[in-house]
């Protein structure tokens, strides 16, 4: 079977699997977040933490819950790493250095999962399971809760209540993430993904010398790493490691896990607002942008220039032979189109244009289809911007889903939209001015610029994938990338929750002959154009100096 045929077959199987899961999972999540009944285990947790599950919160209280919970999570995860030598299953690896511990704690709590350390030599199994894996669940559930709060803002009328953060967090974890993760962890184990509490296994090399291959409880972390659009690998090679992703079937399942919740949330959105077509148009926009960037990456890697690529029949550098160009290109685009950040190939080895597309996916704001929850509220923010622009063109007060978009709503949407570009461009510019950055870059020129731009785009978007080639272990990168993760995560969340509170306080306005329909091709085209236009106006100068210049060289 040719590489292209294998890729097309995997895409076809992926579309079938997502199509089968779309309606039942989307409808199930709509029921989860609209039900008034609490499970027995949930009531036990509410009682333990003194939460009244029947009380609802204003947006400010909801936001305080998000920030407070995240702050406590960062502190606990930091302490877990610093005290690792006192914990069981530390494997003799000792306390994690303060800078790395801070960066890692921020990274996993913000759903970024950026890793500036070698996991199999830095963290023991207890820290991996009790720290990182737990945050893989909780950080995804936080994003899901914020998205549902924004949807309630559109649904509700003349109220200042958005639901209860603690209830949404608990339900997202227990009713959505845990059951799916449990089932697919068993599936991954059956297909060869490692699950072991041993430190490693001794092997004899062909020359007679001995070495140790690291082992870990990989399957249980791998499944939520993908399902929660987290991305942090339990091994340094991430999803290119044969213990995390041994074959084409596990590769297909992991891609499916990355996409299934973000895509199904468009169905959830349509169900909750009472018009499924509203969700379909968002899904169409997400799909169109993802297909375009994936096709460009695939073609660029399959027909890359240069003597080595021409002799090999494509750019195979940095790619696992069991995946080849097609499966590597698919994975690279999907992991950056969501906030996952897992990798099964070395993005630094992609061609100029091929590597530029994963970068562009993140600069779109990761709405193709985005992460768990973050993709939905990200595309809804862009929809509000699109409706505002349409209103300017026709001289009419914009409205979306029966809610007028006034000064406060558009300001909140603009803040949510501009937070990421501000973090990325300021961080990249400041880093390039630092005298030590040149030594940290493996490459100079356009490719070196792409390495730095990719690092801040990845952290500012809470993606976590690494372009590679950039050493980020000094104090400057550890601290500034950590700040980029925090701002890239919580500034948009605060703006989105403020937007949700403002929308919920309004009464619904009836549709008239002058209301722009938001379920057809016209609105879909406007939304697609807005996403592309915002990214182009913001990042074209930086892209022109990096991947575009490299592609034209």
């Amino acid at each position: 079977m040719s590489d292209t045929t294998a890729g097309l077959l995997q895409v076809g199987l992926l579309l079938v699997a997502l199509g089968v899961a779309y309606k039942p999972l989307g409808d199930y999540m709509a029921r989860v977040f609209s039900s008034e009944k609490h499970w027995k285990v949930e009531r036990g947790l509410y009682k333990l933490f003194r939460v009244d599950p029947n009380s609802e919160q204003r947006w400010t209280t909801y936001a305080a819950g998000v920030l407070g919970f995240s702050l406590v999570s960062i502190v606990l995860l930091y302490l877990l790493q610093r005290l690792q030598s006192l914990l069981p299953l530390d494997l003799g690896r000792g306390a994690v250095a303060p800078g790395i511990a801070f960066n890692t704690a921020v990274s996993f709590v913000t759903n970024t999962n950026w890793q500036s350390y070698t996991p199999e030599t830095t963290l023991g199994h207890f820290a991996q399971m009790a720290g990182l894996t737990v945050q893989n669940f909780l950080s995804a559930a936080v994003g899901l809760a914020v998205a549902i709060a924004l949807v309630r803002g559109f649904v509700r009328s003349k109220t200042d209540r958005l639901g209860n953060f603690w209830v949404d967090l608990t339900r997202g974890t227990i009713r959505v993430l845990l059951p799916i993760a449990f089932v697919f962890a068993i599936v991954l184990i059956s297909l060869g993904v490692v699950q072991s509490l041993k430190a490693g296994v001794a092997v004899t090399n062909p020359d007679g010398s001995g070495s140790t291959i690291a082992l870990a409880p990989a399957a249980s972390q791998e499944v939520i790493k993908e399902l929660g659009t987290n991305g942090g690998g339990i091994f340094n090679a991430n999803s290119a490691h044969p213990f995390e992703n041994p074959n084409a079937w596990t590769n297909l399942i992991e891609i499916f896990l990355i996409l299934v919740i973000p895509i199904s949330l468009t169905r959830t959105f349509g169900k909750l607002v009472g018009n499924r077509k509203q969700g379909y148009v968002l899904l169409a926009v997400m799909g169109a942008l993802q297909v375009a960037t994936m096709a460009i990456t695939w073609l660029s890697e399959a027909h890359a220039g240069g003597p080595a690529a021409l002799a090999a029949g494509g750019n195979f550098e940095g790619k696992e032979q069991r995946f080849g160009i097609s499966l590597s290109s698919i994975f690279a685009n999907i992991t950056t189109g969501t906030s996952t950040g897992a990798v099964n190939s070395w993005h630094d080895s992609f061609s100029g244009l091929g590597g530029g597309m994963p970068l562009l996916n993140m600069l779109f704001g990761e709405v193709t289809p985005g992460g768990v929850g973050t993709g939905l509220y990200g595309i809804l923010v862009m929809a509000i911007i699109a409706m505002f622009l349409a209103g300017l063109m026709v001289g009419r007060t914009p409205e979306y889903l029966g809610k007028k978009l006034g000064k406060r709503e558009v300001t909140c949407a603009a803040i949510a939209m501009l937070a990421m570009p501000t973090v990325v461009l300021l961080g990249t510019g400041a880093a390039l001015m630092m005298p030590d950055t040149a030594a940290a870059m493996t490459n100079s020129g356009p490719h070196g610029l792409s390495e730095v731009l990719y690092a801040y785009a990845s952290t500012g978007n809470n993606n976590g994938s690494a372009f590679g080639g950039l050493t980020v272990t000094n104090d400057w990168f550890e601290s500034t990338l950590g700040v980029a993760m925090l701002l890239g995560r919580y500034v948009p969340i605060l703006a989105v929750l403020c937007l949700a509170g403002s929308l919920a306080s309004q009464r619904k306005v009836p549709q008239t002959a002058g209301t722009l329909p938001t379920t057809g091709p016209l609105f879909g085209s406007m939304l697609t154009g807005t996403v592309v236009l915002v990214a182009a106006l913001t990042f074209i100068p930086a892209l022109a100096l990096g991947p575009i210049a490299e592609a034209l060289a």
Side-chain angles (χ1 to χ4, degrees):
M1 184 183 297
S2 70
D3 182 78
T4 300
T5 302
L8 292 174
L9 179 60
Q10 186 141 124
V11 169
L13 291 172
L14 178 64
L15 291 176
V16 170
L18 291 172
V20 170
Y22 181 71
K23 182 177 184 296
L25 180 58
D27 290 350
Y28 171 71
M29 288 191 290
R31 292 193 299 272
V32 164
F33 292 105
S34 58
S35 172
E36 295 183 358
K37 295 182 178 179
H38 307 293
W39 288 3
K40 185 175 181 179
V41 64
E42 295 169 350
R43 290 196 298 269
L45 290 173
Y46 300 146
K47 185 176 181 180
L48 177 64
F49 293 105
R50 302 179 66 183
V51 171
D52 179 4
N54 298 314
S55 66
E56 296 214 345
Q57 300 169 329
R58 299 180 178 88
W59 81 264
T60 50
T61 308
Y62 201 103
V66 172
L67 295 179
F69 178 75
S70 299
L71 176 61
V72 171
S73 297
I74 290 172
V75 172
L76 291 178
L77 185 52
Y78 176 83
L79 292 175
L80 191 68
Q81 296 173 83
R82 296 289 293 137
L83 300 175
Q84 179 173 238
S85 60
L86 305 177
L87 301 173
L89 293 174
D90 71 308
L91 309 180
R93 291 170 185 169
V96 179
I100 294 176
F102 164 75
N103 188 281
T104 303
V106 170
S107 177
F108 277 78
V109 172
T110 59
N111 199 244
T112 311
N113 304 83
W114 172 272
Q115 293 173 292
S116 58
Y117 60 95
T118 304
E120 57 263 50
T121 61
T122 304
L123 294 178
H125 295 338
F126 185 85
Q128 290 274 8
M129 293 185 294
L132 306 190
T133 305
V134 168
Q135 285 306 317
N136 281 346
F137 280 96
L138 297 179
S139 64
V142 168
L144 189 56
V146 173
I148 293 300
L150 178 57
V151 175
R152 290 193 187 114
F154 286 109
V155 173
R156 297 184 175 185
S157 179
K158 298 184 74 64
T159 180
D160 60 354
R161 308 291 164 159
L162 292 176
N164 188 307
F165 167 69
W166 306 107
V167 172
D168 293 338
L169 177 72
T170 303
R171 290 185 178 185
T173 304
I174 292 178
R175 300 194 192 186
V176 179
L177 296 170
L178 272 171
I180 301 175
F182 179 82
V183 171
F184 278 93
I186 296 173
V187 172
L188 290 181
I189 291 171
S190 69
L191 290 172
V193 179
V194 168
Q195 182 75 9
S196 174
L197 291 179
K198 293 182 179 180
V201 58
V203 297
T204 302
N205 298 320
D207 62 359
S209 63
S211 60
T212 301
I213 298 177
L215 295 174
S220 57
Q221 182 161 315
E222 188 72 15
V223 66
I224 188 56
K225 154 189 155 182
E226 313 294 18
L227 179 66
T229 59
N230 293 284
I234 202 166
F235 297 107
N236 193 41
N238 207 280
S239 292
H241 198 293
F243 288 175
E244 288 195 30
N245 188 10
N247 53 59
W249 284 110
T250 57
N251 194 70
L252 174 64
I253 290 170
E254 290 181 20
I255 293 175
F256 169 79
L257 290 171
I258 291 171
L259 291 173
V260 67
I261 291 180
I263 283 178
S264 298
L265 275 173
T266 60
R267 170 81 182 191
T268 303
F269 171 70
K271 188 82 172 178
L272 291 175
V273 300
N275 186 346
R276 290 192 293 271
K277 291 182 179 179
Q278 298 288 350
Y280 295 155
V281 72
L282 299 184
L283 179 60
V285 172
M286 294 172 172
L289 291 170
Q290 177 60 234
V291 167
T293 56
M294 184 186 298
I296 293 172
T297 300
W298 194 339
L299 288 171
S300 298
E301 295 306 292
H303 302 283
L310 292 173
N315 183 21
F316 286 93
E317 181 185 347
K319 299 176 178 66
E320 284 292 319
Q321 289 300 304
R322 66 184 185 277
F323 300 136
I325 288 174
S326 59
L327 304 191
S328 300
S329 300
I330 294 167
F331 202 105
N333 273 274
I334 287 174
T335 195
T336 51
T338 60
S339 65
T340 309
V343 294
N344 75 347
S345 59
W346 195 242
H347 294 183
D348 191 42
S349 296
F350 279 35
S351 62
L353 192 57
M357 289 301 103
L359 175 58
L360 184 61
N361 282 330
M362 293 187 292
L363 299 181
F364 280 152
E366 289 184 339
V367 293
T368 60
V372 172
T374 61
L376 180 60
Y377 69 66
I379 198 74
L380 288 174
V381 164
M382 297 306 297
I384 288 173
I385 297 297
M387 294 303 293
F388 171 68
L389 295 176
L392 289 178
M393 288 188 285
V394 299
R396 177 184 171 90
T397 301
E399 57 188 68
Y400 183 52
L401 298 177
K403 297 296 180 74
K404 288 191 175 294
L405 306 177
K407 178 181 177 181
R408 183 175 182 182
E409 292 77 21
V410 174
T411 300
C412 291
I415 292 172
M417 177 189 69
L418 294 173
M420 179 272 292
T422 302
V423 168
V424 172
L425 294 177
L426 288 180
T428 302
L432 291 172
M433 293 173 62
M434 297 296 294
D436 294 337
T437 299
M441 296 159 56
T442 303
N443 300 276
S444 59
H447 198 85
L449 173 61
S450 295
E451 291 174 354
V452 179
L453 178 62
Y454 193 105
Y456 284 93
S458 180
T459 51
N461 278 285
N462 304 127
N463 182 279
S465 66
F467 201 63
L470 181 69
T471 303
V472 294
T473 54
N474 63 40
D475 290 341
W476 165 264
F477 280 115
E478 293 285 10
S479 57
T480 58
L481 292 174
V483 171
M485 296 179 216
L486 289 170
L487 296 178
R489 174 74 162 181
Y490 296 113
V491 171
I493 281 179
L494 291 175
V496 164
L497 290 175
C498 179
L499 171 63
S502 181
L503 292 170
S505 66
Q506 296 184 32
R507 64 178 180 85
K508 280 187 172 291
V509 296
Q511 288 191 350
T512 65
T515 302
L516 175 66
T518 55
T519 57
L522 176 61
F523 176 69
S525 299
M526 286 179 50
L527 180 53
T528 304
T530 301
V531 173
V532 174
L533 182 64
V534 168
L537 292 176
T538 307
F539 293 109
I540 278 294
L543 292 172
L545 295 173
I548 295 176
E550 184 181 358
L552 295 175

